[in-house]
Amino acid sequence: MTLRLPHLPGLLPFLLPALLTGGGVALPLLYLVLRALEAEPQALREILLRPKNLELLGNTLALLLGVLLLTTFLAFPLAFLTTRTDLKGKRLLATLLALPLALPGYVGAYVLLAATGPGGVLPWPRLEGYGGALLVLSLLTYPYLFLPLRAAFLGLDPSLEEAARTLGLSPLRAFLRATLPQLLPALLSGYLVVGLHVLGDFGTVSLLRYETFSYAIYLQYSAAFDRVYAAWLALFLLLLTGGLLLVEGLLLRRLSLARTGKGSGRRARPVRLGRLAPWAYLLVLLPVLLALVLPLYALFHLASRFPRENLQGLLEALLHSALAAGPAAALAVGMALPIAYLAVRYPSFPARLLERLAYLGYAVPPLAFALAWVFFSLKGLPFLYGRLPLLLLVLAFHFLAESLGPIRGALHQVPRRLEEAARTLGETPTGAFLRVTLPLLWRGAAAGGALAFIGAVKELPLTLLLAPMGYSTLATRVFSYTQEAMFAEAAPFALLLALLSAAFVGVLLWSERRF
Amino acid sequence: MLQGIDLEVYPGEILALLGPSGCGKTTLLRVIAGLEGPDAGRVLLAGREITLLPPERRGIGFVFQDYALFPHLTALGNVAFGLKGEDRWERARRALERVGMTLFQDRKPGELSGGQQQRVALARALAPGPRLVLLDEPFSSLDAGLRAATREEVRKVLKEAGTTALLVTHDQEEALSFADRLGVMRGGRLLQVGTPEEVYLRPKTPFVAQFLGRTNLLPGEGKGRWAETCLGPVPLAEPAFGPLLLSLRPEALKLHPPGEGPQGEVVAREFKGHDLTYRVRLLSAPEREVLVQESPAAPYRAGDRVGLTVVGEGVALEGPTPRAPVGTD
């Protein structure tokens, strides 16, 4: 059924909140454009022609490409080893390999700064700038490539590769010509997520002082106070993100022809590793060691030097984090429900547009989104600026897309017939949703809420720009202590964050039975 | 896609819509229930136009093909869903009682068998006292053994409740035995409506004749009360003149040892226990085969020479005469 005029009155309870949500994502971004265009022509030319812009663009692209390359070299063999070989404990290894995605980038940067260099736990020279950002971002984002690749390997139809072998191809060429094309969609979707993370990253690059757009925006906003230039930099970053989405969309469209059906029920015969097995274990354990064990070891070590009298501050930050993330997650679920409902039940242009907007709010680099909301709220909602409700609202707009996935999935499990049955028994569309769909949906809603919650707890730039004065969360404490090189003070905050999100992600991965 | 459907259901009757899958019968039900909107046309309930009313304000019950019971509610909870007021649980219990399901009132749909789910679905649709209840292939998900018994029970419940019912099915036996009247649909059009006897004995088109059981389609020349065909003169149910196409049911033909009248050779023999169907090739027109229904004791085997007698009436069909129709299933 499509969205048609006769349906509208009954659907208003879904359409209105969905429209408000869409507006909440789109309006600030539009206002950002207006704001940037406000500049005098003379100043505008000066801004656009600054040589600094090109340098920032070069830096951002270099980081993006470097991370994509490094994550490919990590994720590809890892996905292959944990699916197609006779390694023992593949499921456990895969879970461990996925866990680094729980660590926020700024915690990674903090560990790198605090643990290395003179006086660090690890006797290594300190890596800053490009090398440091590349290492931290690659080690923390490769799971976004590893997970879809692994799923693709598992779903692969082994008979295609076998067919290629019977047609006279060597194992390597069979892999390249028969298997690789089937993995491309997974590879592309993974690249998109990694790319969005790199473009959206603010914590890592600013702590490691590598000048990308995000870092420059923050400098302009907080130090130089040139807000028009900050708006322009945010626009550049938005354009770059838009370009990434466009390239991904174009490539995927061309690929969709090459995509084949679901894999057969048969699993491929595992490759015997033989004498290579120890090396394979080493390769698989290396990222676990670098991205999980070492950081945790360093965090525990640093936390033991934490001055006891600051315990009060730790509890306060924990409470602040929970008080922001909890309501924001509830709000995000509340926003995701009508959007998912419209998208699944009434697939039509407006419904798709609203859903796209929700994803846009997630894809937009959070710093640019935060800046857009600063401008927008100062102009349109001045009573909200600098208050907690604004932070909750913007966190919800950003993380709503995280809730959308599980809720959509659960909604697909509730047949439309059930709602129709409720309608013929005298319920309005809203009544049918509340009495039939929602009770069957709560698992999905809970999972979506959990995802949004953990996202909001880890979130840094939105909180940094939009939280009320003096409202410090776990995330902002780690950031500000690290900026001032107070590594011991930052440790327990970072440790708490890391443990909290790792536990969350671990539970999620196991319960989803993704493996 | 529905075209030019003009259908009237009378209070208290059970009307069955029969047609092959994809003929639009389910769409018609959904339009009547308000689950889908028509591009043109009107829906009236007891003289009142309801075309633009949302489903919840129509007071029409719907029994879905897969029952669509709410999995999170018990049988009783399902039946009480559409009821309001203090006494809703009491009324729900009575509705369950009517279908003999009180014992299972606390079970969830997942713990009920197909037949039990079917009865709960019926109780749920009937509980709010709808003026019309629509049933979409209500027996198709039941296995054959259960189907006949459930059908009889549902018919009894509907008649006791005095509810008007409109059911769609692709099973001709179901339509013939269950309905007070039936309508045959094809390609979004309603071809013929009438009592099961009328539609079976006086089909108007070749499709209706063939869809309701087997028949022989024979070209002929109308001569008033009878028609000249390759089987000789065949009595007509209604007088007709000129070239026409006849529907002659297999039970209107009988076999006898070769002698007078048209003769043929037995091509195939299909023994079904309670009766026996022969496929006979005519000697006078070797390209033509006819179906003959005989008693199970008939002695003829494939290859035997037989004589044919017309013992029943043929029905002249509407529409253009096909060039070389043969007896079909």
Side-chain angles (χ1 to χ4, degrees):
Chain A
M1 209 182 303
T2 52
L3 202 60
R4 296 201 305 187
L5 273 180
H7 296 136
L8 274 184
L11 285 179
L12 278 185
F14 301 98
L15 209 50
L16 280 182
L19 283 174
L20 278 178
T21 306
V25 173
L27 284 182
L29 295 176
L30 289 178
Y31 185 68
L32 186 71
V33 178
L34 287 183
R35 181 74 203 248
L37 292 175
E38 261 175 20
E40 303 277 314
Q42 186 63 37
L44 200 62
R45 190 171 325 143
E46 190 267 328
I47 284 176
L48 287 177
L49 292 181
R50 263 184 222 185
K52 184 84 177 169
N53 296 342
L54 271 185
E55 189 195 324
L56 289 175
L57 179 67
N59 281 352
T60 308
L61 284 179
L63 187 62
L64 179 65
L65 293 178
V67 172
L68 287 181
L69 207 65
L70 204 55
T71 47
T72 311
F73 280 124
L74 269 176
F76 229 105
L78 292 178
F80 180 80
L81 287 172
T82 55
T83 52
R84 301 287 293 271
T85 65
D86 60 349
L87 279 191
K88 297 269 180 300
K90 291 200 278 281
R91 208 188 128 142
L92 176 69
L93 284 174
T95 310
L96 285 177
L97 282 169
L99 275 183
L101 67 79
L103 280 187
Y106 55 89
V107 170
Y110 157 76
V111 169
L112 188 68
L113 289 173
T116 60
V121 195
L122 304 168
W124 298 336
R126 182 171 289 171
L127 259 180
E128 275 184 282
Y130 182 74
L134 177 66
L135 183 71
V136 169
L137 285 177
S138 300
L139 277 176
L140 297 188
T141 57
Y142 79 85
Y144 292 112
L145 196 53
F146 165 72
L147 287 175
L149 271 181
R150 202 184 122 84
F153 266 119
L154 285 176
L156 214 55
D157 189 348
S159 59
L160 286 172
E161 203 170 326
E162 288 162 6
R165 294 293 300 281
T166 64
L167 293 169
L169 267 62
S170 69
L172 183 66
R173 298 218 358 211
F175 179 81
L176 289 179
R177 287 182 55 194
T179 310
L180 196 60
Q182 297 183 71
L183 297 176
L184 280 182
L187 199 63
L188 276 184
S189 69
Y191 277 157
L192 180 68
V193 182
V194 173
L196 287 179
H197 268 267
V198 174
L199 290 184
D201 171 76
F202 157 73
T204 318
V205 289
S206 52
L207 287 180
L208 295 171
R209 291 171 211 217
Y210 179 63
E211 276 206 70
T212 61
F213 278 119
S214 289
Y215 184 40
I217 294 169
Y218 185 66
L219 281 184
Q220 288 305 322
Y221 176 79
S222 61
F225 240 71
D226 184 348
R227 299 222 164 166
V228 177
Y229 187 46
W232 270 103
L233 289 174
L235 268 191
F236 290 149
L237 188 55
L238 279 180
L239 282 179
L240 210 54
T241 311
L244 187 71
L245 290 170
L246 199 69
V247 169
E248 149 97 6
L250 287 178
L251 287 178
L252 259 187
R253 186 171 306 168
R254 280 187 49 196
L255 266 183
S256 60
L257 287 174
R259 203 185 280 196
T260 52
K262 287 241 155 99
S264 69
R266 201 162 55 87
R267 284 277 177 89
R269 212 154 50 87
V271 174
R272 291 249 186 93
L273 288 171
R275 277 185 307 164
L276 290 175
W279 297 101
Y281 281 112
L282 197 68
L283 188 65
V284 169
L285 288 175
L286 188 70
V288 178
L289 194 71
L290 285 178
L292 216 59
V293 180
L294 276 186
L296 284 182
Y297 168 73
L299 280 175
F300 272 112
H301 189 84
L302 288 161
S304 64
R305 286 196 242 144
F306 177 65
R308 291 296 139 127
E309 63 273 16
N310 289 5
L311 207 62
Q312 189 69 33
L314 184 65
L315 284 179
E316 190 195 83
L318 183 64
L319 191 70
H320 280 178
S321 281
L323 280 181
L331 212 54
V333 170
M335 291 173 176
L337 278 173
I339 290 186
Y341 181 78
L342 288 177
V344 171
R345 288 289 190 260
Y346 299 89
S348 53
F349 177 71
R352 260 195 302 278
L353 184 71
L354 286 170
E355 202 188 21
R356 283 290 139 88
L357 279 179
Y359 282 112
L360 184 71
Y362 189 61
V364 166
L367 193 65
F369 196 53
L371 199 63
W373 262 99
V374 167
F375 293 148
F376 183 67
S377 60
L378 279 174
K379 182 82 178 175
L381 312 156
F383 51 93
L384 272 183
Y385 181 74
R387 304 259 168 99
L388 190 57
L390 182 67
L391 176 64
L392 300 182
L393 207 61
V394 179
L395 282 174
F397 282 134
H398 181 60
F399 287 107
L400 131 84
E402 293 246 26
S403 322
L404 215 46
I407 290 177
R408 263 199 92 141
L411 206 50
H412 277 294
Q413 306 284 316
V414 183
R416 170 202 287 271
R417 295 234 173 295
L418 294 181
E419 281 159 31
E420 288 177 349
R423 297 288 304 279
T424 63
L425 291 167
E427 275 299 348
T428 59
T430 318
F433 179 79
L434 293 178
R435 286 183 66 192
V436 174
T437 317
L438 205 55
L440 295 170
L441 207 63
W442 70 268
R443 263 172 209 280
L451 280 175
F453 178 81
I454 197 63
V457 165
K458 288 157 55 181
E459 205 291 325
L460 178 66
L462 292 177
T463 316
L464 216 49
L465 263 65
L466 293 166
M469 283 292 239
Y471 191 89
S472 54
T473 64
L474 291 175
T476 58
R477 282 291 179 101
V478 173
F479 184 74
S480 49
Y481 280 136
T482 310
Q483 262 194 324
E484 288 159 36
M486 298 164 72
F487 298 132
E489 280 79 0
F493 297 93
L495 184 63
L496 207 55
L497 259 176
L499 292 180
L500 213 66
S501 27
F504 233 104
V505 171
V507 168
L508 216 68
L509 284 176
W510 278 84
S511 68
E512 265 186 23
R513 283 168 216 260
R514 243 199 245 180
F515 297 106
Chain B
M1 189 64 175
L2 297 173
Q3 292 170 29
I5 302 265
D6 183 7
L7 179 67
E8 207 171 329
V9 191
Y10 304 115
E13 79 167 339
I14 298 178
L15 192 139
L17 284 175
L18 181 65
S21 49
C23 72
K25 46 193 197 309
T26 296
T27 310
L28 181 59
L29 276 202
R30 294 174 58 86
V31 168
I32 296 172
L35 298 171
E36 249 156 78
D39 299 317
R42 303 195 304 156
V43 184
L44 288 94
L45 184 64
R48 196 164 69 98
E49 164 136 19
I50 56 167
T51 317
L52 291 176
L53 276 189
E56 65 269 23
R57 288 175 49 202
R58 294 194 177 197
I60 294 179
F62 202 121
V63 179
F64 290 84
Q65 184 171 2
D66 53 5
Y67 315 136
L69 294 178
F70 305 124
H72 59 299
L73 300 178
T74 60
L76 190 66
N78 264 283
V79 177
F81 189 95
L83 302 174
K84 302 220 157 49
E86 289 281 294
D87 60 338
R88 55 196 290 247
W89 297 106
E90 190 42 48
R91 281 159 61 205
R93 223 165 272 127
R94 268 201 309 260
L96 270 183
E97 205 177 292
R98 246 188 312 187
V99 296
M101 283 294 292
T102 21
L103 261 181
F104 302 99
Q105 62 174 36
D106 295 325
R107 293 224 190 147
K108 295 269 178 80
E111 303 158 346
L112 296 174
S113 74
Q116 292 167 338
Q117 291 187 25
Q118 148 77 270
R119 283 186 272 174
V120 174
L122 183 68
R124 183 179 73 175
L126 289 177
R131 269 183 289 189
L132 171 66
V133 59
L134 307 171
L135 302 103
D136 185 7
E137 303 264 4
F139 309 110
S140 66
S141 1
L142 300 176
D143 52 57
L146 207 56
R147 214 175 292 172
T150 313
R151 211 149 62 196
E152 233 180 272
E153 246 173 78
V154 169
R155 192 179 153 82
K156 210 176 99 215
V157 170
L158 286 174
K159 284 294 168 194
E160 277 172 9
T163 316
T164 312
L166 179 58
L167 135 138
V168 308
T169 175
H170 63 269
D171 180 342
Q172 39 116 345
E173 189 196 323
E174 188 168 302
L176 287 171
S177 63
F178 189 77
D180 300 325
R181 286 196 305 147
L182 64 88
V184 181
M185 285 186 71
R186 184 197 194 186
R189 289 175 189 281
L190 190 57
L191 298 179
Q192 191 175 349
V193 186
T195 64
E197 293 82 0
E198 269 167 20
V199 181
Y200 183 80
L201 296 174
R202 302 263 193 284
K204 283 194 183 140
T205 68
F207 178 80
V208 174
Q210 286 174 315
F211 199 71
L212 285 176
R214 300 169 155 201
T215 195
N216 297 300
L217 296 179
L218 305 170
E221 183 78 24
K223 310 260 185 194
R225 307 281 312 177
W226 58 281
E228 189 59 47
T229 71
C230 52
L231 290 171
V234 174
L236 289 179
E238 307 277 340
F241 295 93
L244 48 75
L245 184 66
L246 277 187
S247 162
L248 192 63
R249 296 280 179 201
E251 61 264 28
L253 286 171
K254 285 284 169 277
L255 299 184
H256 55 79
E260 285 189 12
Q263 300 199 10
E265 184 189 318
V266 174
V267 178
R269 174 179 183 271
E270 197 183 326
F271 184 70
K272 286 181 289 188
H274 51 86
D275 59 27
L276 179 53
T277 308
Y278 285 105
R279 186 180 285 271
V280 177
R281 182 186 298 138
L282 299 183
L283 290 189
S284 56
E287 80 285 355
R288 188 170 297 282
E289 290 176 356
V290 292
L291 296 170
V292 181
Q293 187 170 318
E294 268 290 352
S295 67
Y300 311 103
R301 299 274 154 181
D304 289 354
R305 280 286 173 87
V306 290
L308 291 128
T309 321
V310 179
V311 294
E313 288 178 331
V315 178
L317 301 174
E318 289 168 0
T321 312
R323 278 198 319 144
V326 290
T328 49
D329 311 309

Short mmCIF file of all heavy atoms in Angstrom, two decimals, chain A residues 86-121:
data_model
loop_
_atom_site.label_atom_id
_atom_site.label_comp_id
_atom_site.label_asym_id
_atom_site.label_seq_id
_atom_site.Cartn_x
_atom_site.Cartn_y
_atom_site.Cartn_z
N ASP A 86 40.59 -23.72 8.83
CA ASP A 86 40.35 -24.64 9.93
C ASP A 86 40.90 -24.12 11.25
O ASP A 86 41.25 -24.89 12.13
CB ASP A 86 40.94 -26.02 9.61
CG ASP A 86 42.44 -25.97 9.37
OD1 ASP A 86 42.96 -24.84 9.26
OD2 ASP A 86 43.08 -27.02 9.29
N LEU A 87 41.00 -22.79 11.40
CA LEU A 87 41.41 -22.22 12.69
C LEU A 87 40.43 -22.66 13.77
O LEU A 87 39.23 -22.77 13.53
CB LEU A 87 41.37 -20.69 12.63
CG LEU A 87 42.54 -19.93 12.02
CD1 LEU A 87 42.40 -18.45 12.32
CD2 LEU A 87 43.86 -20.44 12.55
N LYS A 88 40.95 -22.89 14.98
CA LYS A 88 40.07 -23.27 16.08
C LYS A 88 39.48 -22.01 16.72
O LYS A 88 40.13 -20.97 16.77
CB LYS A 88 40.86 -24.04 17.14
CG LYS A 88 41.45 -25.35 16.64
CD LYS A 88 40.46 -26.47 16.88
CE LYS A 88 41.02 -27.80 16.39
NZ LYS A 88 41.33 -27.80 14.93
N GLY A 89 38.24 -22.11 17.21
CA GLY A 89 37.63 -21.00 17.95
C GLY A 89 37.36 -19.79 17.07
O GLY A 89 37.55 -18.65 17.50
N LYS A 90 36.88 -20.02 15.86
CA LYS A 90 36.66 -18.91 14.93
C LYS A 90 35.63 -17.91 15.46
O LYS A 90 35.77 -16.72 15.29
CB LYS A 90 36.20 -19.44 13.56
CG LYS A 90 37.30 -20.19 12.82
CD LYS A 90 37.01 -20.28 11.34
CE LYS A 90 36.08 -21.40 11.02
NZ LYS A 90 36.76 -22.70 11.01
N ARG A 91 34.58 -18.43 16.13
CA ARG A 91 33.53 -17.54 16.59
C ARG A 91 34.01 -16.61 17.67
O ARG A 91 33.75 -15.40 17.66
CB ARG A 91 32.37 -18.39 17.11
CG ARG A 91 31.04 -17.68 16.98
CD ARG A 91 29.95 -18.43 17.68
NE ARG A 91 29.31 -17.46 18.55
CZ ARG A 91 28.02 -17.43 18.77
NH1 ARG A 91 27.23 -18.30 18.24
NH2 ARG A 91 27.50 -16.51 19.55
N LEU A 92 34.77 -17.19 18.62
CA LEU A 92 35.31 -16.38 19.71
C LEU A 92 36.28 -15.34 19.14
O LEU A 92 36.23 -14.16 19.50
CB LEU A 92 36.01 -17.28 20.71
CG LEU A 92 36.69 -16.52 21.86
CD1 LEU A 92 35.64 -15.91 22.76
CD2 LEU A 92 37.61 -17.42 22.64
N LEU A 93 37.15 -15.79 18.24
CA LEU A 93 38.12 -14.87 17.63
C LEU A 93 37.40 -13.73 16.92
O LEU A 93 37.80 -12.57 17.03
CB LEU A 93 39.00 -15.63 16.63
CG LEU A 93 40.09 -16.52 17.26
CD1 LEU A 93 40.78 -17.33 16.18
CD2 LEU A 93 41.10 -15.66 18.00
N ALA A 94 36.32 -14.09 16.20
CA ALA A 94 35.59 -13.06 15.46
C ALA A 94 34.99 -12.04 16.42
O ALA A 94 35.00 -10.84 16.14
CB ALA A 94 34.51 -13.70 14.61
N THR A 95 34.44 -12.51 17.54
CA THR A 95 33.88 -11.57 18.51
C THR A 95 34.96 -10.65 19.05
O THR A 95 34.77 -9.44 19.15
CB THR A 95 33.21 -12.33 19.66
OG1 THR A 95 32.34 -13.31 19.11
CG2 THR A 95 32.43 -11.40 20.55
N LEU A 96 36.11 -11.23 19.40
CA LEU A 96 37.22 -10.41 19.92
C LEU A 96 37.65 -9.39 18.86
O LEU A 96 37.91 -8.23 19.18
CB LEU A 96 38.40 -11.30 20.28
CG LEU A 96 38.26 -12.10 21.57
CD1 LEU A 96 39.47 -12.99 21.78
CD2 LEU A 96 38.08 -11.15 22.76
N LEU A 97 37.68 -9.83 17.61
CA LEU A 97 38.12 -8.94 16.54
C LEU A 97 37.12 -7.81 16.29
O LEU A 97 37.48 -6.77 15.76
CB LEU A 97 38.33 -9.73 15.25
CG LEU A 97 39.64 -10.51 15.19
CD1 LEU A 97 39.64 -11.47 14.02
CD2 LEU A 97 40.81 -9.55 15.10
N ALA A 98 35.85 -8.05 16.64
CA ALA A 98 34.85 -7.02 16.41
C ALA A 98 34.84 -5.99 17.54
O ALA A 98 34.39 -4.86 17.36
CB ALA A 98 33.46 -7.64 16.27
N LEU A 99 35.33 -6.39 18.72
CA LEU A 99 35.20 -5.53 19.89
C LEU A 99 35.85 -4.14 19.79
O LEU A 99 35.33 -3.20 20.36
CB LEU A 99 35.75 -6.26 21.13
CG LEU A 99 34.74 -7.19 21.80
CD1 LEU A 99 35.34 -7.79 23.05
CD2 LEU A 99 33.47 -6.42 22.15
N PRO A 100 36.99 -3.98 19.08
CA PRO A 100 37.59 -2.65 19.06
C PRO A 100 36.65 -1.54 18.59
O PRO A 100 36.86 -0.38 18.92
CB PRO A 100 38.76 -2.82 18.08
CG PRO A 100 39.15 -4.23 18.22
CD PRO A 100 37.87 -4.97 18.45
N LEU A 101 35.59 -1.90 17.87
CA LEU A 101 34.69 -0.83 17.43
C LEU A 101 33.97 -0.18 18.61
O LEU A 101 33.37 0.88 18.49
CB LEU A 101 33.68 -1.34 16.39
CG LEU A 101 32.61 -2.35 16.75
CD1 LEU A 101 31.44 -1.72 17.46
CD2 LEU A 101 32.10 -2.99 15.47
N ALA A 102 34.07 -0.82 19.79
CA ALA A 102 33.45 -0.22 20.97
C ALA A 102 34.24 0.98 21.48
O ALA A 102 33.70 1.85 22.14
CB ALA A 102 33.32 -1.27 22.08
N LEU A 103 35.55 1.01 21.19
CA LEU A 103 36.38 2.09 21.73
C LEU A 103 36.18 3.36 20.91
O LEU A 103 36.37 3.35 19.71
CB LEU A 103 37.85 1.70 21.67
CG LEU A 103 38.39 0.78 22.76
CD1 LEU A 103 39.90 0.67 22.62
CD2 LEU A 103 38.01 1.29 24.13
N PRO A 104 35.83 4.48 21.56
CA PRO A 104 35.75 5.74 20.82
C PRO A 104 37.15 6.18 20.41
O PRO A 104 38.13 5.87 21.09
CB PRO A 104 35.15 6.72 21.83
CG PRO A 104 34.83 5.95 23.05
CD PRO A 104 35.49 4.61 22.98
N GLY A 105 37.21 6.91 19.29
CA GLY A 105 38.50 7.32 18.75
C GLY A 105 39.30 8.14 19.74
O GLY A 105 40.53 7.97 19.85
N TYR A 106 38.64 9.01 20.51
CA TYR A 106 39.41 9.86 21.42
C TYR A 106 40.02 9.06 22.55
O TYR A 106 41.07 9.41 23.08
CB TYR A 106 38.56 11.02 21.94
CG TYR A 106 37.28 10.59 22.61
CD1 TYR A 106 37.24 10.31 23.96
CD2 TYR A 106 36.10 10.48 21.88
CE1 TYR A 106 36.07 9.90 24.57
CE2 TYR A 106 34.94 10.08 22.48
CZ TYR A 106 34.93 9.80 23.82
OH TYR A 106 33.77 9.38 24.42
N VAL A 107 39.40 7.91 22.92
CA VAL A 107 40.01 7.05 23.93
C VAL A 107 41.26 6.40 23.34
O VAL A 107 42.30 6.30 24.00
CB VAL A 107 39.01 5.99 24.44
CG1 VAL A 107 39.72 4.96 25.31
CG2 VAL A 107 37.90 6.64 25.21
N GLY A 108 41.15 5.99 22.06
CA GLY A 108 42.31 5.42 21.38
C GLY A 108 43.45 6.43 21.34
O GLY A 108 44.60 6.09 21.66
N ALA A 109 43.13 7.66 20.98
CA ALA A 109 44.15 8.70 20.92
C ALA A 109 44.74 8.95 22.30
O ALA A 109 45.95 9.12 22.46
CB ALA A 109 43.55 9.98 20.35
N TYR A 110 43.87 8.93 23.28
CA TYR A 110 44.33 9.15 24.66
C TYR A 110 45.32 8.07 25.07
O TYR A 110 46.38 8.36 25.63
CB TYR A 110 43.13 9.17 25.60
CG TYR A 110 43.49 8.84 27.02
CD1 TYR A 110 44.14 9.77 27.84
CD2 TYR A 110 43.20 7.59 27.56
CE1 TYR A 110 44.50 9.46 29.14
CE2 TYR A 110 43.55 7.27 28.85
CZ TYR A 110 44.20 8.20 29.64
OH TYR A 110 44.56 7.87 30.91
N VAL A 111 44.98 6.81 24.77
CA VAL A 111 45.87 5.71 25.14
C VAL A 111 47.22 5.87 24.43
O VAL A 111 48.27 5.72 25.04
CB VAL A 111 45.23 4.35 24.79
CG1 VAL A 111 46.26 3.22 24.92
CG2 VAL A 111 44.05 4.08 25.67
N LEU A 112 47.15 6.21 23.14
CA LEU A 112 48.39 6.35 22.38
C LEU A 112 49.27 7.43 23.00
O LEU A 112 50.48 7.25 23.17
CB LEU A 112 48.05 6.72 20.93
CG LEU A 112 49.23 6.72 19.98
CD1 LEU A 112 49.74 5.30 19.78
CD2 LEU A 112 48.84 7.31 18.63
N LEU A 113 48.64 8.56 23.40
CA LEU A 113 49.42 9.66 23.96
C LEU A 113 49.94 9.33 25.35
O LEU A 113 51.08 9.62 25.70
CB LEU A 113 48.55 10.92 24.02
CG LEU A 113 48.23 11.57 22.68
CD1 LEU A 113 47.25 12.70 22.87
CD2 LEU A 113 49.52 12.09 22.04
N ALA A 114 49.07 8.71 26.14
CA ALA A 114 49.41 8.51 27.55
C ALA A 114 50.39 7.37 27.73
O ALA A 114 51.21 7.39 28.65
CB ALA A 114 48.14 8.25 28.35
N ALA A 115 50.29 6.35 26.84
CA ALA A 115 51.07 5.14 27.09
C ALA A 115 52.43 5.16 26.45
O ALA A 115 53.31 4.39 26.83
CB ALA A 115 50.29 3.92 26.62
N THR A 116 52.62 6.01 25.45
CA THR A 116 53.90 5.99 24.76
C THR A 116 54.69 7.26 25.09
O THR A 116 54.22 8.12 25.84
CB THR A 116 53.70 5.92 23.24
OG1 THR A 116 52.96 7.06 22.83
CG2 THR A 116 52.95 4.67 22.83
N GLY A 117 55.89 7.32 24.53
CA GLY A 117 56.72 8.50 24.77
C GLY A 117 57.38 8.44 26.13
O GLY A 117 57.20 7.47 26.88
N PRO A 118 58.11 9.46 26.47
CA PRO A 118 58.83 9.47 27.75
C PRO A 118 57.86 9.33 28.92
O PRO A 118 56.84 10.02 28.97
CB PRO A 118 59.54 10.83 27.76
CG PRO A 118 59.00 11.61 26.61
CD PRO A 118 58.36 10.66 25.66
N GLY A 119 58.15 8.42 29.82
CA GLY A 119 57.31 8.26 31.01
C GLY A 119 56.10 7.41 30.77
O GLY A 119 55.29 7.20 31.68
N GLY A 120 55.89 6.87 29.53
CA GLY A 120 54.70 6.07 29.24
C GLY A 120 54.84 4.65 29.72
O GLY A 120 55.91 4.20 30.13
N VAL A 121 53.72 3.91 29.69
CA VAL A 121 53.73 2.51 30.10
C VAL A 121 54.50 1.68 29.08
O VAL A 121 55.16 0.71 29.42
CB VAL A 121 52.29 1.97 30.17
CG1 VAL A 121 52.26 0.65 30.92
CG2 VAL A 121 51.38 3.00 30.78
#
